[in-house]
Amino acid sequence: MASIFPKDFFWGAATSSHQIEGGNTNNWSKWEKKTAEERVKHIPNWYEFPKHLLDEAKDPERRISGKAADSLHRWRDDIKVLKELGLNSYRFSIEWSRIFPQKGIVSEEGLEYYRNLINELKQNHIEPIVTCWHWTIPIWVDEGEGGFLNKKTDVCFREYMKVVAENFAKDVKYWIILNEPESIASKSYLLGDWPPGKRNIFSAAYFYYFRMVEWHRIGYEEIKRVHPEAWVGVAKPNVYIEPYNQHIWNVGIAKLGHFLFGQLYLKRIHKYLDYIGLNYYFHMRVGIRGIKNENDKVSDFGWWMKPFSIYYLLMDLKKYNLPIMITEDGLADSKDQYREWWLDETFEAMRRALQEGVRLIGYMHWSLVDNFEWAEGFWPKFGLVEVDPKTFARRIRKSGYYYRDLIAKERGK
Ligand code: NOJ
């Protein structure tokens, strides 16, 4: 039977600069060093933590990004595995601190790195899908300009976006200005788990509702100024939230959660979007007694795995009448035991959504290679491709080849 996926569908994988490049100096790298010793003490105890990952999880060195996957030097190897996997698109991000290492100073070397990456991808017929901000800020912005919450940062962000747009906008059609504003608002300002480690509901709300909206708008304007036909989107981490029973309170809580995390931000930036990027990881059952997930299958991270639920989120986003790209989707699976099943379920969900009229244009699996997973460091393994921590050699996992074959089948090859 003919495939329901459009001929020009983007089959890809995603990464972000700080998580794979290595050699970064930014607000995260500074915070990582300061907090590594403390963080290793907190091994999750609410699920059976995978024993074979304990040594890595307890090692403070493995909580520091350091050389990450060394993509700064091995980006050609990344392109090689993209090709081996038969992918026609790659989502990566530009590192602000690599472009602007200091106030007012643009690094030609930084620009050159992304220029080479974009050119080489295009020469290999791989569509670059570029994120402008995946959570890290230069230290000079953090310290000198008052950090995230300060309006002065908007000026710095515009300066950065101008340089990005002027150097790359003509060569790239698909842009994502911000990655998961809700994650950073909640982890950095509400829960205090990430830098700057604040716990203040008002700061979180302000950051989310105002600063993140303004940054998106700035990015949109700068890209469009240089390349009006470019498509600008956002990577939105929507969660499938349902009440654990039909009690009116539980239904209300689920609706509120869906509105706050799934809808509010999109409503705010709707006018400045050419497509919606969806990052999917979670299905949650909520109510007055908090979260009550079934957890019949959990990933190494302890996250309940319900891959098919992405279908419901795609259907829900249909109302915006915009094309949708899945900009992230994946799991931490060090033994590579669930990824094939996850992909099967997800492909089925995408087929159903396409059949029901969702304008789905691409799927980026998270992640191409094992990445530095923020506060957790290196123990969660999200990669289709395994990275040797010492040699940085890339080895495609069995599920990586499985993904390649699934795609080939859809393409009728
Ligand atoms: C979403 C984030 O964008 C990415 O940075 C992270 O690694 C994945 N989720 C997995 O947690």
Side-chain angles (χ1 to χ4, degrees):
M1 221 172 66
S3 169
I4 179 106
F5 287 95
K7 282 257 164 316
D8 53 358
F9 194 81
F10 291 124
W11 295 108
T15 60
S16 90
S17 57
H18 189 65
Q19 295 180 271
I20 64 157
E21 285 175 359
N24 282 327
T25 307
N26 54 35
N27 65 325
W28 267 87
S29 64
K30 193 173 127 200
W31 176 88
E32 287 156 21
K33 288 181 201 128
K34 222 169 67 193
T35 58
E37 295 284 348
E38 189 50 38
R39 277 181 291 131
V40 292
K41 295 184 196 149
H42 306 289
I43 306 292
N45 59 5
W46 56 275
Y47 69 102
E48 209 183 318
F49 189 85
K51 284 195 194 59
H52 63 285
L53 298 175
L54 259 181
D55 284 350
E56 197 172 16
K58 284 185 179 163
D59 179 357
E61 282 300 311
R62 299 295 285 161
R63 297 285 182 129
I64 293 172
S65 53
K67 289 189 172 177
D70 200 29
S71 291
L72 185 60
H73 303 106
R74 288 162 209 266
W75 55 274
R76 284 199 175 83
D77 294 346
D78 293 340
I79 297 183
K80 206 166 136 209
V81 286
L82 283 163
K83 282 176 71 181
E84 267 181 67
L85 293 173
L87 303 180
N88 64 0
S89 45
Y90 178 43
R91 176 185 171 210
F92 63 92
S93 76
I94 296 182
E95 174 64 31
W96 186 352
S97 62
R98 196 173 291 292
I99 304 293
F100 269 101
Q102 286 170 46
K103 187 170 180 174
I105 296 180
V106 177
S107 159
E108 190 40 49
E109 212 181 312
L111 290 172
E112 187 71 13
Y113 174 70
Y114 297 108
R115 208 173 280 133
N116 289 337
L117 177 60
I118 292 169
N119 288 344
E120 190 92 0
L121 285 169
K122 291 178 78 165
Q123 271 164 25
N124 284 287
H125 311 288
I126 299 172
E127 185 80 27
I129 294 163
V130 182
T131 313
C132 302
W133 186 69
H134 202 120
W135 299 351
T136 49
I137 59 175
I139 290 181
W140 63 267
V141 175
D142 197 25
E143 291 176 353
E145 308 299 306
F148 284 131
L149 294 185
N150 200 305
K151 275 195 180 174
K152 277 205 283 183
T153 304
D154 296 359
V155 179
C156 308
F157 190 67
R158 187 178 292 274
E159 236 181 295
Y160 162 63
M161 278 308 312
K162 259 200 184 119
V163 173
V164 167
E166 275 155 23
N167 281 277
F168 308 118
K170 284 229 171 73
D171 295 321
V172 173
K173 177 162 177 198
Y174 297 92
W175 290 90
I176 294 165
I177 306 297
L178 307 180
N179 181 67
E180 298 198 354
E182 14 307 88
S183 307
I184 194 110
S186 55
K187 294 279 221 169
S188 292
Y189 288 101
L190 193 61
L191 304 171
D193 293 344
W194 291 354
K198 296 264 184 304
R199 283 187 194 165
N200 182 321
I201 192 165
F202 298 106
S203 306
Y206 171 74
F207 175 76
Y208 182 46
Y209 198 75
F210 294 104
R211 302 269 58 76
M212 289 289 91
V213 170
E214 185 60 15
W215 283 25
H216 175 83
R217 203 176 52 81
I218 291 172
Y220 179 92
E221 282 170 6
E222 292 304 322
I223 297 290
K224 291 284 186 175
R225 191 169 54 77
V226 178
H227 186 178
E229 284 81 43
W231 283 30
V232 178
V234 64
K236 244 327 250 107
N238 280 12
V239 174
Y240 183 66
I241 304 178
E242 61 174 353
Y244 46 68
N245 63 31
Q246 290 309 307
H247 187 287
I248 187 162
W249 276 102
N250 300 340
V251 172
I253 286 170
K255 281 200 172 138
L256 182 67
H258 176 64
F259 174 73
L260 289 177
F261 297 107
Q263 304 298 315
L264 182 61
Y265 189 75
L266 285 176
K267 287 194 194 302
R268 295 273 289 152
I269 63 164
H270 186 224
K271 277 195 282 185
Y272 304 99
L273 278 181
D274 299 298
Y275 71 102
I276 296 175
L278 168 64
N279 288 5
Y280 173 74
Y281 294 92
F282 298 108
H283 178 127
M284 269 182 200
R285 297 219 163 123
V286 302
I288 199 101
R289 292 205 193 90
I291 299 170
K292 274 198 192 173
N293 288 343
E294 255 172 44
N295 287 340
D296 50 341
K297 271 189 188 146
V298 296
S299 69
D300 289 348
F301 233 145
W303 295 351
W304 186 24
M305 295 192 284
K306 291 278 274 180
F308 187 82
S309 298
I310 196 170
Y311 160 76
Y312 302 105
L313 293 173
L314 290 169
M315 291 304 286
D316 176 60
L317 290 173
K318 198 176 156 192
K319 60 178 175 270
Y320 289 96
N321 202 18
L322 286 169
I324 302 172
M325 183 190 296
I326 297 170
T327 37
E328 278 183 40
D329 173 77
L331 64 162
D333 183 18
S334 53
K335 290 194 170 158
D336 206 22
Q337 52 186 335
Y338 293 119
R339 207 172 276 106
E340 293 180 9
W341 160 78
W342 177 288
L343 286 165
D344 277 337
E345 294 277 305
T346 306
F347 269 60
E348 196 45 36
M350 292 195 284
R351 282 187 205 109
R352 278 252 319 254
L354 281 162
Q355 264 154 15
E356 292 175 40
V358 171
R359 288 158 67 197
L360 187 61
I361 59 166
Y363 172 78
M364 305 295 125
H365 192 83
W366 183 274
S367 166
L368 176 66
V369 291
D370 284 343
N371 57 275
F372 173 72
E373 186 55 31
W374 307 111
E376 282 74 21
F378 288 100
W379 64 260
K381 312 289 181 202
F382 278 92
L384 291 164
V385 177
E386 187 182 352
V387 176
D388 184 299
K390 293 209 173 70
T391 65
F392 302 104
R394 272 80 170 133
R395 190 186 66 83
I396 298 180
R397 291 199 162 96
K398 196 166 144 273
S399 56
Y401 289 116
Y402 190 79
Y403 180 40
R404 175 195 67 184
D405 295 346
L406 283 179
I407 298 168
K409 228 184 268 165
E410 294 299 338
R411 286 184 175 144
K413 283 184 185 154

